[in-house]
Amino acid sequence: MPTADELIYEAEIEQMDKRARAAGFLTLCPGEVYTCELHKTTHVFIMPVEDKWSAWRETWKEGKLHSNAQKMIIENVPFEIALQKAKGYAQFVSRKKG
């Protein structure tokens, strides 16, 4: 039977996943990695680094395994701020392309 702390942790992860989905992000690993595709070769990622969260964009050349360009959007902030900044960046790029 799960402990109270485990249940609270699971509920927090579920809420993070839910907020990320509502912002247009896919969950790659619950509570750990979220992504949004801006183009078939460009993605925005949100991941924790130690106790805080960071968001950045990576671009690949088709057929390559490693990205050839990265842009830090925000780093070392709470999850909600990283999510807001990443969503704002994705919306900015979408408007700029559209």
Side-chain angles (χ1 to χ4, degrees):
M1 177 157 217
T3 66
D5 287 341
E6 290 170 336
L7 291 173
I8 291 169
Y9 177 74
E10 287 176 18
E12 289 173 355
I13 297 299
E14 284 179 26
Q15 284 301 311
M16 289 168 61
D17 292 353
K18 189 176 186 178
R19 288 192 299 268
R21 278 192 306 275
F25 285 78
L26 297 174
T27 301
L28 296 181
C29 183
E32 293 183 29
V33 185
Y34 302 94
T35 188
C36 173
E37 183 179 282
L38 302 180
H39 182 269
K40 63 182 178 177
T41 59
T42 305
H43 293 256
V44 172
F45 294 95
I46 305 171
M47 286 180 61
V49 178
E50 296 180 17
D51 293 351
K52 299 289 184 169
W53 289 78
S54 296
W56 69 95
R57 181 218 63 218
E58 289 197 42
T59 302
W60 289 261
K61 288 187 177 179
E62 287 193 50
K64 299 291 181 181
L65 295 177
H66 300 284
S67 64
N68 65 315
Q70 302 87 29
K71 175 183 174 35
M72 183 60 66
I73 298 168
I74 194 161
E75 56 187 330
N76 298 321
V77 296
F79 173 76
E80 285 299 325
I81 294 172
L83 180 61
Q84 289 172 1
K85 293 291 185 177
K87 178 182 176 183
Y89 180 82
Q91 290 173 336
F92 168 77
V93 170
S94 295
R95 282 191 305 264
K96 191 175 173 181
K97 287 179 11 180

Coordinates of all heavy atoms in Angstrom, one line a residue:
M1 N 0.8 -1.2 0.0 CA 0.0 0.0 0.0 C 0.9 1.2 0.0 O 1.8 1.3 0.8 CB -0.9 0.0 1.2 CG -1.8 1.2 1.4 SD -3.2 0.7 2.4 CE -4.4 1.7 1.6
P2 N 0.6 2.2 -0.9 CA 1.4 3.4 -0.9 C 1.3 4.3 0.3 O 0.2 4.3 1.0 CB 0.9 4.2 -2.1 CG -0.2 3.4 -2.7 CD -0.5 2.2 -1.9
T3 N 2.4 4.9 0.6 CA 2.4 5.8 1.8 C 1.7 7.1 1.4 O 1.5 7.4 0.2 CB 3.8 6.1 2.3 OG1 4.5 6.9 1.3 CG2 4.6 4.9 2.6
A4 N 1.4 7.9 2.4 CA 0.8 9.2 2.1 C 1.7 10.1 1.3 O 1.3 10.8 0.4 CB 0.5 10.0 3.5
D5 N 3.0 10.1 1.6 CA 4.0 10.9 0.8 C 4.0 10.4 -0.7 O 4.1 11.2 -1.6 CB 5.4 10.8 1.4 CG 5.5 11.5 2.7 OD1 4.7 12.4 2.9 OD2 6.5 11.3 3.4
E6 N 3.9 9.1 -0.9 CA 3.9 8.6 -2.3 C 2.6 9.0 -3.0 O 2.7 9.4 -4.2 CB 4.0 7.1 -2.3 CG 5.4 6.6 -1.9 CD 5.4 5.1 -1.6 OE1 4.4 4.5 -1.4 OE2 6.5 4.5 -1.7
L7 N 1.5 9.0 -2.3 CA 0.3 9.4 -2.9 C 0.3 10.9 -3.3 O -0.2 11.3 -4.3 CB -0.9 9.1 -2.0 CG -1.2 7.6 -1.8 CD1 -2.3 7.4 -0.7 CD2 -1.7 7.0 -3.1
I8 N 0.8 11.7 -2.4 CA 1.0 13.2 -2.6 C 1.9 13.4 -3.8 O 1.5 14.2 -4.7 CB 1.5 13.9 -1.4 CG1 0.4 13.9 -0.3 CG2 1.9 15.3 -1.7 CD1 0.9 14.3 1.1
Y9 N 3.0 12.7 -3.9 CA 3.9 12.8 -5.0 C 3.3 12.5 -6.3 O 3.4 13.2 -7.3 CB 5.2 12.0 -4.8 CG 6.2 12.0 -5.9 CD1 7.0 13.1 -6.1 CD2 6.3 10.9 -6.7 CE1 7.9 13.2 -7.1 CE2 7.2 11.0 -7.8 CZ 8.0 12.1 -8.0 OH 8.9 12.1 -9.0
E10 N 2.5 11.4 -6.3 CA 1.8 10.9 -7.6 C 0.8 12.0 -8.0 O 0.6 12.2 -9.2 CB 1.2 9.6 -7.3 CG 2.2 8.4 -7.3 CD 1.5 7.1 -7.0 OE1 0.3 7.0 -7.1 OE2 2.2 6.2 -6.6
A11 N 0.1 12.5 -7.0 CA -0.9 13.6 -7.4 C -0.3 14.8 -7.9 O -0.8 15.4 -8.9 CB -1.7 13.9 -6.1
E12 N 0.9 15.2 -7.4 CA 1.6 16.3 -7.9 C 2.1 16.1 -9.4 O 2.0 17.0 -10.2 CB 2.8 16.7 -7.0 CG 2.5 17.2 -5.7 CD 3.7 17.4 -4.8 OE1 4.8 16.9 -5.1 OE2 3.5 17.9 -3.7
I13 N 2.6 14.9 -9.6 CA 3.0 14.5 -11.0 C 1.8 14.6 -11.9 O 1.9 15.1 -13.0 CB 3.7 13.1 -11.0 CG1 4.9 13.1 -10.1 CG2 4.0 12.7 -12.4 CD1 6.0 14.0 -10.6
E14 N 0.7 14.0 -11.5 CA -0.5 14.0 -12.4 C -0.9 15.5 -12.7 O -1.3 15.8 -13.8 CB -1.7 13.3 -11.7 CG -1.5 11.8 -11.7 CD -2.7 11.1 -11.0 OE1 -3.8 11.7 -10.9 OE2 -2.4 10.0 -10.5
Q15 N -0.8 16.4 -11.7 CA -1.2 17.8 -11.9 C -0.2 18.5 -12.9 O -0.6 19.2 -13.8 CB -1.2 18.6 -10.6 CG -2.5 18.3 -9.8 CD -3.7 18.6 -10.6 OE1 -3.9 19.7 -11.2 NE2 -4.7 17.7 -10.6
M16 N 1.1 18.2 -12.8 CA 2.1 18.7 -13.7 C 1.8 18.2 -15.1 O 1.8 19.0 -16.1 CB 3.5 18.3 -13.2 CG 3.9 19.0 -12.0 SD 5.4 18.3 -11.3 CE 6.6 18.6 -12.6
D17 N 1.5 17.0 -15.3 CA 1.3 16.4 -16.6 C 0.0 17.0 -17.2 O 0.0 17.4 -18.4 CB 1.1 14.9 -16.5 CG 2.3 14.1 -16.1 OD1 3.4 14.7 -16.1 OD2 2.2 12.9 -15.9
K18 N -1.0 17.2 -16.4 CA -2.2 17.8 -16.8 C -2.0 19.3 -17.3 O -2.5 19.7 -18.3 CB -3.3 17.8 -15.7 CG -4.7 18.1 -16.0 CD -5.6 18.0 -14.8 CE -7.0 18.2 -15.2 NZ -7.9 18.0 -14.1
R19 N -1.3 20.0 -16.5 CA -1.0 21.4 -16.9 C -0.2 21.5 -18.1 O -0.4 22.4 -19.0 CB -0.3 22.2 -15.7 CG -1.3 22.4 -14.5 CD -0.7 23.4 -13.5 NE 0.5 22.9 -12.9 CZ 0.6 22.2 -11.8 NH1 -0.5 21.9 -11.1 NH2 1.7 21.9 -11.2
A20 N 0.8 20.6 -18.3 CA 1.6 20.6 -19.5 C 0.8 20.3 -20.7 O 0.9 20.9 -21.7 CB 2.8 19.6 -19.3
R21 N -0.1 19.3 -20.6 CA -1.0 18.9 -21.7 C -1.9 20.1 -22.1 O -2.1 20.4 -23.3 CB -1.8 17.7 -21.4 CG -1.1 16.4 -21.6 CD -2.1 15.2 -21.5 NE -2.9 15.2 -20.3 CZ -2.5 14.6 -19.1 NH1 -1.3 14.1 -19.0 NH2 -3.3 14.6 -18.1
A22 N -2.4 20.8 -21.1 CA -3.3 21.9 -21.3 C -2.5 23.0 -22.1 O -3.1 23.8 -22.8 CB -3.9 22.4 -20.0
A23 N -1.2 23.1 -21.9 CA -0.4 24.1 -22.5 C 0.1 23.7 -23.9 O 0.8 24.4 -24.6 CB 0.8 24.5 -21.6
G24 N -0.3 22.5 -24.3 CA 0.1 22.0 -25.6 C 1.4 21.1 -25.6 O 1.9 20.8 -26.7
F25 N 1.8 20.6 -24.5 CA 3.0 19.8 -24.4 C 2.7 18.3 -24.2 O 1.7 18.0 -23.6 CB 3.9 20.3 -23.2 CG 4.6 21.5 -23.5 CD1 4.0 22.8 -23.4 CD2 6.0 21.5 -23.9 CE1 4.6 23.9 -23.7 CE2 6.6 22.7 -24.2 CZ 6.0 23.9 -24.1
L26 N 3.5 17.5 -24.8 CA 3.4 16.1 -24.6 C 4.3 15.6 -23.4 O 5.3 16.2 -23.2 CB 3.9 15.3 -25.8 CG 3.1 15.5 -27.1 CD1 3.9 14.8 -28.3 CD2 1.7 15.0 -27.0
T27 N 3.8 14.6 -22.7 CA 4.6 14.1 -21.6 C 5.5 13.0 -22.1 O 5.0 12.0 -22.6 CB 3.7 13.5 -20.5 OG1 2.9 14.6 -20.0 CG2 4.5 13.0 -19.3
L28 N 6.8 13.2 -22.1 CA 7.8 12.1 -22.5 C 8.0 11.2 -21.3 O 8.2 10.0 -21.5 CB 9.1 12.7 -23.0 CG 8.9 13.5 -24.3 CD1 10.3 14.0 -24.7 CD2 8.3 12.7 -25.4
C29 N 8.2 11.8 -20.1 CA 8.4 11.0 -18.9 C 7.6 11.8 -17.8 O 8.0 12.9 -17.5 CB 9.8 10.9 -18.6 SG 10.2 9.9 -17.1
P30 N 6.6 11.2 -17.2 CA 5.7 11.9 -16.3 C 6.5 12.6 -15.2 O 7.4 12.0 -14.5 CB 4.8 10.8 -15.7 CG 4.7 9.8 -16.8 CD 6.1 9.8 -17.4
G31 N 6.3 13.9 -15.0 CA 6.9 14.6 -14.0 C 8.4 15.0 -14.2 O 9.1 15.5 -13.4
E32 N 8.9 14.6 -15.4 CA 10.3 14.8 -15.7 C 10.6 15.5 -17.0 O 11.6 16.3 -17.1 CB 11.1 13.5 -15.6 CG 11.1 12.9 -14.2 CD 11.9 11.7 -14.1 OE1 12.9 11.5 -14.9 OE2 11.6 10.8 -13.3
V33 N 9.9 15.1 -18.1 CA 10.3 15.6 -19.4 C 9.0 15.9 -20.2 O 8.2 15.0 -20.4 CB 11.2 14.6 -20.3 CG1 11.6 15.3 -21.6 CG2 12.4 14.2 -19.5
Y34 N 8.9 17.1 -20.7 CA 7.8 17.5 -21.6 C 8.3 18.1 -22.8 O 9.4 18.7 -22.8 CB 6.9 18.6 -20.8 CG 6.4 18.0 -19.5 CD1 7.1 18.3 -18.3 CD2 5.3 17.3 -19.4 CE1 6.7 17.8 -17.1 CE2 4.9 16.7 -18.2 CZ 5.6 17.0 -17.1 OH 5.1 16.5 -15.9
T35 N 7.6 18.0 -23.9 CA 8.0 18.5 -25.2 C 6.9 19.1 -26.0 O 5.7 18.6 -25.8 CB 8.8 17.5 -26.0 OG1 9.4 18.1 -27.2 CG2 7.9 16.4 -26.5
C36 N 7.2 20.0 -26.9 CA 6.2 20.5 -27.8 C 6.9 20.7 -29.2 O 8.0 21.2 -29.3 CB 5.8 21.9 -27.3 SG 4.7 22.8 -28.5
E37 N 6.3 20.2 -30.2 CA 6.9 20.2 -31.6 C 6.5 21.5 -32.2 O 5.3 21.8 -32.4 CB 6.4 19.1 -32.4 CG 7.0 19.0 -33.8 CD 6.5 17.8 -34.6 OE1 7.0 16.7 -34.4 OE2 5.6 18.0 -35.5
L38 N 7.5 22.3 -32.6 CA 7.3 23.6 -33.3 C 7.3 23.3 -34.8 O 6.7 24.1 -35.6 CB 8.3 24.6 -33.0 CG 8.4 25.0 -31.5 CD1 9.5 26.0 -31.3 CD2 7.1 25.5 -31.0
H39 N 8.1 22.4 -35.2 CA 8.3 22.0 -36.6 C 8.8 20.6 -36.6 O 9.2 20.1 -35.5 CB 9.3 22.9 -37.3 CG 9.6 22.7 -38.7 ND1 10.5 21.8 -39.1 CD2 8.9 23.1 -39.8 CE1 10.5 21.8 -40.5 NE2 9.6 22.6 -40.9
K40 N 8.8 19.9 -37.7 CA 9.2 18.5 -37.6 C 10.6 18.3 -37.2 O 11.0 17.2 -36.7 CB 8.9 17.7 -38.9 CG 9.7 18.3 -40.1 CD 9.4 17.5 -41.3 CE 10.1 18.0 -42.5 NZ 9.8 17.3 -43.7
T41 N 11.4 19.4 -37.3 CA 12.8 19.3 -36.8 C 13.1 20.2 -35.6 O 14.3 20.3 -35.2 CB 13.8 19.6 -38.0 OG1 13.5 20.9 -38.4 CG2 13.7 18.6 -39.1
T42 N 12.1 20.8 -35.0 CA 12.3 21.7 -33.9 C 11.3 21.5 -32.8 O 10.1 21.4 -33.0 CB 12.1 23.2 -34.4 OG1 13.0 23.4 -35.5 CG2 12.4 24.2 -33.3
H43 N 11.9 21.3 -31.6 CA 11.1 21.0 -30.4 C 11.5 21.9 -29.3 O 12.6 22.3 -29.2 CB 11.3 19.5 -30.0 CG 10.8 18.5 -31.0 ND1 9.6 17.9 -30.8 CD2 11.3 18.1 -32.2 CE1 9.4 17.0 -31.8 NE2 10.4 17.2 -32.6
V44 N 10.5 22.1 -28.4 CA 10.8 22.8 -27.1 C 10.7 21.7 -26.0 O 9.8 20.9 -26.0 CB 9.8 23.9 -26.8 CG1 10.0 24.5 -25.4 CG2 9.9 25.0 -27.8
F45 N 11.7 21.8 -25.1 CA 11.7 20.8 -24.0 C 11.7 21.5 -22.7 O 12.2 22.6 -22.5 CB 13.0 20.0 -24.0 CG 13.2 19.1 -25.2 CD1 13.8 19.5 -26.4 CD2 12.6 17.8 -25.2 CE1 14.0 18.7 -27.5 CE2 12.7 17.0 -26.3 CZ 13.4 17.5 -27.5
I46 N 11.0 20.8 -21.7 CA 11.0 21.3 -20.3 C 11.5 20.1 -19.5 O 10.9 19.0 -19.5 CB 9.6 21.7 -19.9 CG1 9.0 22.8 -20.8 CG2 9.6 22.3 -18.4 CD1 7.6 23.1 -20.6
M47 N 12.5 20.4 -18.7 CA 13.1 19.3 -17.8 C 13.6 19.9 -16.5 O 14.0 21.1 -16.5 CB 14.3 18.6 -18.5 CG 13.9 17.7 -19.6 SD 15.4 16.9 -20.4 CE 16.1 16.0 -19.0
P48 N 13.6 19.1 -15.4 CA 14.2 19.6 -14.2 C 15.7 19.5 -14.3 O 16.3 18.6 -14.9 CB 13.6 18.6 -13.1 CG 13.4 17.4 -13.9 CD 13.0 17.8 -15.3
V49 N 16.4 20.5 -13.7 CA 17.8 20.4 -13.5 C 18.0 20.7 -12.0 O 17.8 21.8 -11.5 CB 18.5 21.5 -14.3 CG1 20.0 21.5 -14.1 CG2 18.2 21.3 -15.8
E50 N 18.4 19.6 -11.3 CA 18.5 19.6 -9.8 C 17.1 19.9 -9.3 O 16.2 19.2 -9.6 CB 19.6 20.6 -9.3 CG 20.9 20.2 -9.8 CD 22.0 21.1 -9.3 OE1 21.8 21.9 -8.4 OE2 23.1 21.0 -9.9
D51 N 16.9 21.0 -8.5 CA 15.6 21.2 -7.9 C 14.7 22.2 -8.7 O 13.6 22.4 -8.3 CB 15.8 21.9 -6.5 CG 16.4 20.9 -5.5 OD1 16.6 19.7 -5.8 OD2 16.8 21.3 -4.4
K52 N 15.2 22.7 -9.8 CA 14.5 23.7 -10.6 C 14.3 23.2 -12.0 O 14.7 22.1 -12.3 CB 15.3 25.0 -10.6 CG 15.5 25.7 -9.3 CD 14.3 26.3 -8.7 CE 14.6 27.0 -7.4 NZ 13.4 27.8 -7.0
W53 N 13.6 24.0 -12.8 CA 13.2 23.5 -14.1 C 13.8 24.5 -15.2 O 14.0 25.7 -14.9 CB 11.7 23.5 -14.3 CG 11.1 22.4 -13.5 CD1 10.8 22.4 -12.2 CD2 10.6 21.2 -14.1 NE1 10.2 21.2 -11.9 CE2 10.1 20.5 -13.0 CE3 10.5 20.7 -15.3 CZ2 9.5 19.2 -13.1 CZ3 10.0 19.4 -15.5 CH2 9.5 18.7 -14.4
S54 N 14.1 23.9 -16.3 CA 14.6 24.7 -17.5 C 13.8 24.4 -18.7 O 13.3 23.2 -18.8 CB 16.1 24.4 -17.7 OG 16.9 24.8 -16.6
A55 N 13.8 25.3 -19.6 CA 13.1 25.1 -20.9 C 14.0 25.6 -22.0 O 14.7 26.6 -21.9 CB 11.8 25.9 -21.0
W56 N 14.1 24.9 -23.1 CA 14.9 25.2 -24.2 C 14.4 24.7 -25.5 O 13.5 23.8 -25.5 CB 16.4 24.8 -24.0 CG 16.6 23.3 -24.1 CD1 16.9 22.6 -25.2 CD2 16.4 22.4 -23.0 NE1 17.0 21.2 -24.8 CE2 16.7 21.1 -23.5 CE3 16.1 22.6 -21.7 CZ2 16.6 20.0 -22.7 CZ3 16.0 21.4 -20.9 CH2 16.2 20.1 -21.4
R57 N 14.9 25.2 -26.6 CA 14.5 24.8 -28.0 C 15.7 24.1 -28.6 O 16.8 24.5 -28.4 CB 14.1 26.0 -28.8 CG 13.7 25.6 -30.2 CD 14.1 26.5 -31.3 NE 15.6 26.5 -31.4 CZ 16.3 27.6 -31.7 NH1 15.7 28.8 -31.9 NH2 17.6 27.6 -31.8
E58 N 15.4 23.0 -29.3 CA 16.5 22.3 -30.1 C 16.0 22.1 -31.5 O 14.8 21.8 -31.7 CB 16.8 20.9 -29.4 CG 17.6 21.1 -28.1 CD 18.3 19.8 -27.7 OE1 18.9 19.2 -28.6 OE2 18.2 19.5 -26.5
T59 N 17.0 22.2 -32.4 CA 16.7 22.0 -33.8 C 17.6 21.0 -34.4 O 18.8 21.0 -34.1 CB 16.8 23.3 -34.6 OG1 15.9 24.3 -34.0 CG2 16.5 23.1 -36.1
W60 N 17.1 20.1 -35.2 CA 17.9 19.0 -35.9 C 17.9 19.2 -37.4 O 16.9 19.7 -37.9 CB 17.4 17.6 -35.6 CG 17.5 17.2 -34.2 CD1 18.5 16.3 -33.7 CD2 16.7 17.5 -33.1 NE1 18.3 16.1 -32.4 CE2 17.2 16.8 -32.0 CE3 15.6 18.3 -32.9 CZ2 16.6 16.9 -30.7 CZ3 15.0 18.4 -31.7 CH2 15.5 17.7 -30.6
K61 N 18.9 18.8 -38.0 CA 18.9 18.6 -39.5 C 18.3 17.3 -39.7 O 18.6 16.3 -39.0 CB 20.3 18.7 -40.1 CG 20.9 20.1 -40.1 CD 22.2 20.2 -40.8 CE 22.6 21.7 -40.8 NZ 23.9 21.8 -41.5
E62 N 17.5 17.2 -40.7 CA 16.8 15.9 -41.0 C 17.8 14.8 -41.2 O 18.9 15.0 -41.8 CB 15.9 16.0 -42.2 CG 14.7 16.8 -42.0 CD 13.6 16.7 -43.0 OE1 13.3 15.5 -43.4 OE2 13.1 17.7 -43.5
G63 N 17.6 13.6 -40.5 CA 18.4 12.5 -40.6 C 19.6 12.5 -39.7 O 20.3 11.5 -39.6
K64 N 19.8 13.5 -38.9 CA 20.9 13.6 -37.9 C 20.4 13.2 -36.5 O 19.2 13.4 -36.2 CB 21.4 15.0 -37.8 CG 22.0 15.5 -39.1 CD 23.3 14.7 -39.5 CE 23.9 15.2 -40.8 NZ 25.0 14.5 -41.2
L65 N 21.2 12.6 -35.7 CA 20.9 12.1 -34.4 C 21.0 13.2 -33.3 O 20.4 13.2 -32.3 CB 21.7 10.9 -34.0 CG 21.5 9.6 -34.8 CD1 22.5 8.6 -34.4 CD2 20.1 9.2 -34.7
H66 N 21.9 14.2 -33.6 CA 22.2 15.2 -32.6 C 21.7 16.5 -33.1 O 21.8 16.8 -34.3 CB 23.7 15.3 -32.3 CG 24.3 14.0 -31.8 ND1 24.1 13.6 -30.5 CD2 25.0 13.0 -32.4 CE1 24.7 12.4 -30.3 NE2 25.2 12.1 -31.4
S67 N 21.2 17.4 -32.2 CA 20.7 18.7 -32.6 C 21.9 19.6 -33.1 O 23.0 19.4 -32.6 CB 20.0 19.4 -31.5 OG 20.9 19.6 -30.4
N68 N 21.6 20.5 -34.0 CA 22.6 21.4 -34.5 C 22.5 22.8 -33.9 O 23.3 23.6 -34.2 CB 22.7 21.4 -36.0 CG 21.4 21.9 -36.6 OD1 20.3 21.6 -36.2 ND2 21.5 22.8 -37.6
A69 N 21.4 23.0 -33.2 CA 21.1 24.4 -32.7 C 20.3 24.2 -31.4 O 19.3 23.4 -31.4 CB 20.4 25.3 -33.7
Q70 N 20.6 25.0 -30.4 CA 19.9 25.0 -29.1 C 19.7 26.5 -28.7 O 20.6 27.3 -29.0 CB 20.6 24.3 -28.0 CG 20.9 22.9 -28.2 CD 22.3 22.7 -29.0 OE1 23.2 23.5 -28.8 NE2 22.4 21.7 -29.7
K71 N 18.6 26.8 -28.1 CA 18.3 28.1 -27.5 C 17.7 27.9 -26.2 O 16.6 27.3 -26.0 CB 17.4 28.9 -28.4 CG 17.0 30.3 -27.9 CD 16.0 31.0 -28.7 CE 15.5 32.3 -28.1 NZ 16.4 33.1 -27.3
M72 N 18.4 28.5 -25.2 CA 17.8 28.4 -23.8 C 16.7 29.4 -23.7 O 16.8 30.6 -24.1 CB 18.9 28.7 -22.8 CG 18.4 28.6 -21.3 SD 17.8 27.0 -20.8 CE 19.3 26.0 -20.9
I73 N 15.5 29.0 -23.2 CA 14.4 29.9 -23.1 C 14.4 30.4 -21.6 O 14.3 31.6 -21.4 CB 13.1 29.1 -23.4 CG1 13.1 28.7 -24.8 CG2 11.9 30.0 -23.0 CD1 12.0 27.7 -25.2
I74 N 14.6 29.5 -20.7 CA 14.6 29.9 -19.3 C 15.3 28.8 -18.5 O 15.1 27.6 -18.9 CB 13.3 30.3 -18.7 CG1 13.4 31.1 -17.4 CG2 12.3 29.1 -18.6 CD1 12.2 31.9 -17.0
E75 N 16.0 29.1 -17.4 CA 16.6 28.1 -16.6 C 16.5 28.4 -15.1 O 16.4 29.5 -14.7 CB 18.0 27.8 -17.0 CG 18.9 29.0 -17.0 CD 20.3 28.6 -17.6 OE1 20.7 27.5 -17.5 OE2 20.9 29.6 -18.2
N76 N 16.5 27.3 -14.3 CA 16.5 27.3 -12.9 C 15.3 28.1 -12.3 O 15.5 29.0 -11.5 CB 17.8 27.9 -12.4 CG 19.0 27.1 -12.8 OD1 18.9 25.8 -12.8 ND2 20.1 27.7 -13.2
V77 N 14.1 27.7 -12.7 CA 12.9 28.4 -12.2 C 11.9 27.3 -11.7 O 12.1 26.1 -12.1 CB 12.3 29.3 -13.2 CG1 13.2 30.5 -13.6 CG2 11.9 28.5 -14.5
P78 N 10.9 27.6 -11.0 CA 9.8 26.6 -10.7 C 9.2 26.1 -12.0 O 9.2 26.8 -13.0 CB 8.8 27.4 -9.8 CG 9.7 28.5 -9.3 CD 10.6 28.9 -10.3
F79 N 8.5 25.0 -11.9 CA 7.9 24.3 -13.0 C 6.9 25.2 -13.7 O 6.9 25.4 -15.0 CB 7.2 23.0 -12.6 CG 6.4 22.4 -13.7 CD1 7.0 21.7 -14.7 CD2 5.0 22.5 -13.7 CE1 6.2 21.2 -15.8 CE2 4.2 22.0 -14.7 CZ 4.9 21.3 -15.7
E80 N 6.0 25.9 -13.0 CA 5.0 26.8 -13.6 C 5.6 27.9 -14.5 O 5.1 28.2 -15.5 CB 4.1 27.4 -12.5 CG 3.1 26.4 -11.9 CD 2.2 25.8 -12.9 OE1 1.8 26.5 -13.9 OE2 1.8 24.6 -12.8
I81 N 6.7 28.5 -14.0 CA 7.3 29.5 -14.8 C 8.0 29.0 -16.0 O 7.8 29.5 -17.1 CB 8.3 30.3 -13.9 CG1 7.6 31.0 -12.8 CG2 9.2 31.3 -14.7 CD1 8.5 31.7 -11.7
A82 N 8.6 27.8 -15.9 CA 9.2 27.2 -17.1 C 8.2 26.9 -18.1 O 8.4 27.1 -19.3 CB 10.0 26.0 -16.7
L83 N 7.0 26.3 -17.6 CA 5.9 26.0 -18.5 C 5.4 27.2 -19.2 O 5.2 27.2 -20.4 CB 4.9 25.2 -17.8 CG 3.6 24.8 -18.6 CD1 4.0 23.8 -19.7 CD2 2.6 24.2 -17.7
Q84 N 5.2 28.3 -18.5 CA 4.6 29.5 -19.0 C 5.6 30.1 -20.1 O 5.1 30.5 -21.2 CB 4.4 30.6 -17.9 CG 3.2 30.3 -17.0 CD 3.2 31.2 -15.8 OE1 4.0 32.1 -15.7 NE2 2.2 31.0 -15.0
K85 N 6.8 30.2 -19.8 CA 7.8 30.7 -20.7 C 7.9 29.9 -22.0 O 8.0 30.4 -23.1 CB 9.2 30.9 -20.1 CG 9.2 31.9 -19.0 CD 9.0 33.3 -19.6 CE 9.2 34.4 -18.5 NZ 9.1 35.7 -19.0
A86 N 7.9 28.5 -21.8 CA 8.0 27.6 -23.0 C 6.8 27.8 -23.8 O 6.9 27.8 -25.1 CB 8.2 26.2 -22.5
K87 N 5.6 27.8 -23.2 CA 4.4 28.0 -24.0 C 4.4 29.3 -24.7 O 4.0 29.4 -25.9 CB 3.2 27.9 -23.0 CG 1.9 28.1 -23.7 CD 0.7 28.1 -22.7 CE -0.6 28.4 -23.4 NZ -1.7 28.5 -22.5
G88 N 4.8 30.4 -24.1 CA 4.9 31.7 -24.7 C 5.9 31.7 -25.9 O 5.6 32.3 -26.9
Y89 N 7.0 31.0 -25.7 CA 8.0 30.9 -26.8 C 7.3 30.2 -28.0 O 7.5 30.6 -29.1 CB 9.2 30.2 -26.3 CG 10.3 30.1 -27.4 CD1 11.1 31.2 -27.8 CD2 10.4 28.9 -28.2 CE1 12.0 31.1 -28.8 CE2 11.3 28.8 -29.2 CZ 12.1 29.9 -29.5 OH 13.0 29.8 -30.5
A90 N 6.7 29.0 -27.7 CA 6.1 28.3 -28.8 C 5.0 29.1 -29.5 O 4.9 29.0 -30.7 CB 5.5 27.0 -28.2
Q91 N 4.2 29.8 -28.8 CA 3.2 30.7 -29.4 C 3.8 31.8 -30.2 O 3.3 32.1 -31.3 CB 2.3 31.3 -28.3 CG 1.4 30.2 -27.7 CD 0.6 30.8 -26.5 OE1 1.0 31.8 -25.9 NE2 -0.5 30.2 -26.2
F92 N 4.9 32.4 -29.8 CA 5.6 33.4 -30.5 C 6.1 32.9 -31.8 O 5.9 33.5 -32.9 CB 6.8 34.0 -29.7 CG 7.7 34.8 -30.4 CD1 7.4 36.1 -30.8 CD2 8.9 34.3 -30.8 CE1 8.2 36.9 -31.5 CE2 9.8 35.1 -31.6 CZ 9.5 36.4 -31.9
V93 N 6.7 31.7 -31.8 CA 7.3 31.1 -33.0 C 6.1 30.7 -34.0 O 6.2 31.0 -35.2 CB 8.1 29.9 -32.7 CG1 8.5 29.1 -33.9 CG2 9.4 30.3 -31.9
S94 N 5.0 30.2 -33.4 CA 3.9 29.9 -34.3 C 3.3 31.1 -35.0 O 3.0 31.0 -36.2 CB 2.8 29.2 -33.5 OG 3.3 27.9 -33.0
R95 N 3.2 32.2 -34.2 CA 2.6 33.4 -34.8 C 3.6 34.0 -35.9 O 3.2 34.5 -36.9 CB 2.4 34.5 -33.8 CG 1.2 34.3 -32.9 CD 0.8 35.5 -32.1 NE 1.9 35.9 -31.2 CZ 2.1 35.5 -29.9 NH1 1.2 34.7 -29.4 NH2 3.1 35.9 -29.2
K96 N 4.9 33.9 -35.6 CA 5.9 34.4 -36.5 C 5.9 33.6 -37.8 O 6.1 34.2 -38.9 CB 7.3 34.3 -35.8 CG 8.4 35.0 -36.5 CD 9.7 34.9 -35.7 CE 10.8 35.4 -36.4 NZ 12.1 35.3 -35.7
K97 N 5.7 32.3 -37.7 CA 5.7 31.5 -39.0 C 4.3 31.6 -39.7 O 4.3 31.5 -40.9 CB 5.9 30.0 -38.6 CG 7.3 29.7 -38.2 CD 7.6 28.3 -37.8 CE 6.6 27.2 -38.0 NZ 7.0 25.9 -37.6
G98 N 3.2 31.9 -38.9 CA 1.9 31.9 -39.5 C 1.6 33.2 -40.2 O 1.1 33.4 -41.2

